[in-house]
Amino acid sequence: MLNTGTNVGDTMRAETLPADRPQAPVPEQTADGRSRVSRWWPLSGTRVLQIAFALIGLQLVVRGLVLSRGYFYWDDLILTGRSGSMSLLSPQFLFYDHDGHFMPAAFLVAGIATRLAPYNWLVPALILLVLQALASLALLRLLLLILGRRPAVLVPLVFYLFSPLTLPAFAWWAAGLNALPLQIGLAWVAGDAIRLCRTGSARYAISGFLVFAASLQFFEKAVLVPMAAFVAVALVYRVDGRARPIRAAATRGALLWAPTLLLAVVWSLIYRLTVTIDLARYDRASATEMLWHATSKGLLPTLFGGPWTWDRWPPSPPWADPPVVLIGASGVLAAAVVVATIVWKRRVAWVWIAVGAYVFASIAAMVVTRSGADTTFELGQTLRYLTDSAVIIAIALAVILRAPARTARAGSGRGPAPAVALLSAFVAGSLVSTATFADSWRDDTTRDYLANARSALAAHRDVPLLEQPTSIWVLLPVAHPHNLVSHVLGPLPDRPEFAAATPELRMLDDDGRLVDAEVTWVRTIDPGPEPGCGHRIGTDISELPLDGPLAGWEWTVRLNYLASADGEITASLQQGDPVTVPVRRGPNSVFVRLTGGGGLLEIRAMDPDLTLCVGSGPVGVVVPSR
């Protein structure tokens, strides 16, 4: 058991994997009893920890700079809009099917942030930084459990901390609320699994179960966390030379595997009942092309500090756009690393097989759920579907470094210079990729749109604003109804009411500025039969003919009327639901947004004491006034 006076490296060796196994391999010993590692890279365990914490601090500084150039984007607006209009603890809010995602905890965190400070980017940025810090510390804990306080622990740590592979999901708040808790779960539960197998203490089973349960609430992919932890334990057993590593891992970690498996089954049933799973239609050629883009143009260049450059079609997110030479070089280097480590270390081939299986499963999930006729292959280059692979690869590197060398000569080192040079080159390339990503991510219209809309709406709170979609440069119509201004701008405290009818027609332009607007004459309300009145409206439904039929769509009607008193009427198209419209005594106009189609406008008064005369007017779409 633990001796509190020993360091983590000594503890790792003392807590055998089980008690009757041989001591885990340690770095080869020289004639004077000192390890070769300590001779060519003489860092104490304390100094290794200091460097590790400094690297994590540097990562957070770099990621903070990236966030300073970012802002709310796409799904962030959907999360914020729903948070501003619904009860945060309601099932409708928490268990919403968000494009196939089941993430009640992510909704809750977004809701709390919105209630605290709607559209204040500082709050989401701090949340992302805290989650990133937790993920980095959880991985450091796991790496120390596998390698101890050896300088080798810095290799997988540096890869994870600075790899551009995790960057796109981190910078996007909605994606980060999925990806970062998953990364925390992968690292922490694997660490608890190792501690449980070494000590047999139930507290690690309890801790691992709770972290797994929490990560499941943020992202459905977290269902893979226990499996990844099991494989990590089994691989550690294998490289240590343990007989029957899978059986040993299953037996020693049963206190963790049993409850997490049960939870995964129950959660899967809830997920299936809550979420509609639409499998994409794809063919073999499209799937192959998506695989190529996700790996050769996406994943592989990031393993070596790429992609260096990014491309973007606003309002889409940036995607990796590596130069051809990096695409070719990264493929060759990846193959060389796999071969070299298998030649150098014993029993590590299965480590790479496990990594390949995880990456392939992630890409396969992306293909069957996201690809289709309208999906571009660049989707795989956005990297956010592979971001958790960074944790898996870091674990794999640690297990490989733990494995014994095939010969004493192979295990000897040439000094720290080559390792430091390679890590420095990786970090330099990664920082270039980070800087170019931040520049691309900053090219976004949402910040200016929301800033202008906030000030414009605050200055015109007295007149209702007609419901309308936001700029297509902020949210495309495919996000309907979440692209409507009532959803996007609803959380703002100082604003007018969003309504289906208004006496003054204004609209937000693509820059978020409030401008006067008018209705185009797509169709016209025919003049009424009653001289001096037009169409007389009472409590019975009156049908006002149009000069032609309308296709089913969202239309705006300008009603020019003379009312006998203040009151309310209902209005609808021939094929559509009615909306309630307030009217004022005397001659006035009101602009009404109606959904539907047909060749008639149907109107009736809701008060028997109210009568109206309605004249001719346009039915069409809202455009800025000339």
Side-chain angles (χ1 to χ4, degrees):
M1 295 299 293
L2 285 175
N3 179 348
T4 55
T6 62
N7 63 27
V8 173
D10 296 332
T11 298
M12 186 191 75
R13 302 305 172 192
E15 295 175 351
T16 55
L17 273 171
D20 60 345
R21 68 173 278 279
Q23 284 290 324
V26 296
E28 291 78 14
Q29 302 292 314
T30 62
D32 60 2
R34 299 174 61 196
S35 71
R36 295 186 185 277
V37 170
S38 65
R39 291 187 65 194
W40 66 263
W41 199 341
L43 292 176
S44 66
T46 300
R47 183 56 58 87
V48 169
L49 275 184
Q50 290 172 344
I51 294 175
F53 287 132
L55 289 170
I56 291 175
L58 178 60
Q59 181 212 30
L60 296 178
V61 170
V62 172
R63 293 295 171 94
L65 292 174
V66 172
L67 291 176
S68 70
R69 295 194 169 195
Y71 199 62
F72 297 95
Y73 168 76
W74 198 274
D75 288 38
D76 301 347
L77 306 180
I78 298 175
L79 267 61
T80 301
R82 295 185 71 248
S83 302
S85 60
M86 305 179 72
S87 169
L88 299 189
L89 298 180
S90 65
Q92 294 81 3
F93 177 74
L94 295 176
F95 302 140
Y96 175 68
D97 179 358
H98 181 60
D99 198 20
H101 292 307
F102 183 65
M103 47 189 222
F107 283 133
L108 183 59
V109 171
I112 294 172
T114 300
R115 296 296 174 85
L116 289 175
Y119 288 121
N120 184 335
W121 179 241
L122 178 62
V123 177
L126 290 176
I127 291 172
L128 290 171
L129 283 176
V130 169
L131 290 174
Q132 182 62 78
L134 293 175
S136 299
L137 291 172
L139 181 66
L140 174 61
R141 169 184 180 257
L142 173 60
L143 298 178
L144 291 172
L145 287 169
I146 297 174
L147 291 172
R149 296 187 186 182
R150 293 166 48 193
V153 79
L154 301 177
V155 175
L157 181 65
V158 166
F159 168 79
Y160 172 76
L161 294 180
F162 299 101
S163 174
L165 181 57
T166 63
L167 189 58
F170 165 82
W172 184 357
W173 186 32
L177 289 176
N178 294 151
L180 290 169
L182 172 58
Q183 294 171 37
I184 295 169
L186 286 169
W188 188 269
V189 176
D192 276 350
I194 290 175
R195 295 299 297 271
L196 172 64
C197 291
R198 289 176 179 172
T199 67
S201 174
R203 69 187 180 97
Y204 298 115
I206 295 173
S207 171
F209 176 82
L210 292 177
V211 172
F212 169 56
S215 63
L216 267 180
Q217 309 313 307
F218 285 90
F219 192 18
E220 64 276 0
K221 194 177 181 181
V223 74
L224 298 177
V225 164
M227 183 183 299
F230 177 84
V231 172
V233 173
L235 289 174
V236 170
Y237 274 123
R238 177 172 175 78
V239 300
D240 285 351
R242 170 83 184 180
R244 298 181 178 179
I246 295 178
R247 180 178 179 180
T251 303
R252 298 286 293 179
L255 282 177
L256 178 59
W257 313 136
T260 53
L261 177 60
L262 178 61
L263 177 60
V265 171
V266 173
W267 176 90
S268 297
L269 293 175
I270 296 173
Y271 175 81
R272 188 66 186 89
L273 293 173
T274 306
V275 174
T276 300
I277 303 174
D278 294 324
L279 299 182
R281 296 181 180 179
Y282 63 94
D283 53 34
R284 181 179 300 178
S286 297
T288 302
E289 191 70 18
M290 185 74 80
L291 176 65
W292 165 258
H293 279 258
T295 53
S296 297
K297 294 186 176 183
L299 173 66
L300 291 179
T302 65
L303 303 183
F304 303 97
W308 301 340
T309 58
W310 307 78
D311 200 356
R312 189 179 190 186
W313 299 334
S316 71
W319 65 80
D321 186 29
V324 175
V325 64
L326 180 58
I327 295 174
S330 61
V332 173
L333 286 173
V337 169
V338 172
V339 172
T341 52
I342 292 175
V343 171
W344 173 35
K345 293 283 192 172
R346 299 177 185 173
R347 301 182 290 272
V348 299
W350 277 103
V351 177
W352 289 121
I353 292 173
V355 171
Y358 190 94
V359 171
F360 179 79
S362 298
I363 296 176
M366 175 186 67
V367 170
V368 300
T369 60
R370 291 293 184 263
S371 66
D374 299 325
T375 302
T376 63
F377 297 131
E378 284 78 11
L379 177 69
Q381 296 165 238
T382 61
L383 301 178
R384 65 180 184 273
Y385 297 99
L386 299 173
T387 186
D388 45 299
S389 299
V391 176
I392 300 300
I393 295 171
I395 297 173
L397 293 175
V399 174
I400 290 170
L401 290 171
R402 177 186 174 95
R406 293 187 179 276
T407 65
R409 181 178 180 82
S412 63
R414 297 178 179 272
V420 171
L422 291 174
L423 288 178
S424 298
F426 170 79
V427 172
S430 298
L431 292 178
V432 170
S433 298
T434 301
T436 53
F437 174 86
D439 287 340
S440 179
W441 189 237
R442 190 177 186 178
D443 182 19
D444 184 54
T445 60
T446 304
R447 186 193 301 267
D448 291 339
Y449 180 90
L450 289 179
N452 292 334
R454 185 193 295 266
S455 59
L457 296 183
H460 297 84
R461 290 178 293 177
D462 53 334
V463 179
L465 183 66
L466 197 68
E467 182 70 280
Q468 58 194 269
T470 59
S471 167
I472 61 171
W473 303 109
V474 175
L475 275 177
L476 290 173
V478 295
H480 184 85
H482 302 295
N483 68 320
L484 299 176
V485 292
S486 62
H487 288 250
V488 176
L489 303 176
L492 296 177
D494 297 325
R495 60 169 178 80
E497 176 189 359
F498 298 109
T502 181
E504 297 180 24
L505 187 59
R506 297 190 181 100
M507 66 178 294
L508 292 166
D509 64 12
D510 284 344
D511 295 323
R513 296 185 175 90
L514 198 61
V515 298
D516 293 331
E518 61 185 11
V519 179
T520 60
W521 293 74
V522 175
R523 291 287 181 262
T524 303
I525 302 172
D526 286 342
E530 188 171 329
C533 179
H535 299 278
R536 185 172 296 276
I537 308 299
T539 54
D540 295 329
I541 294 178
S542 299
E543 296 181 344
L544 283 62
L546 306 178
D547 64 350
L550 288 168
W553 194 247
E554 294 173 341
W555 304 102
T556 299
V557 179
R558 175 171 178 165
L559 289 179
N560 301 311
Y561 67 89
L562 174 65
S564 61
D566 293 347
E568 291 181 333
I569 63 173
T570 64
S572 66
L573 291 170
Q574 185 178 13
Q575 301 163 0
D577 296 328
V579 299
T580 300
V581 181
V583 294
R584 295 176 296 175
R585 182 176 182 274
N588 292 288
S589 294
V590 64
F591 301 88
V592 186
R593 180 181 173 88
L594 299 174
T595 300
L600 296 173
L601 182 65
E602 299 178 348
I603 302 177
R604 74 176 182 90
M606 300 181 68
D607 188 336
D609 296 328
L610 175 63
T611 58
L612 288 87
C613 292
V614 176
S616 181
V619 182
V621 295
V622 178
V623 295
S625 298
R626 293 181 178 85

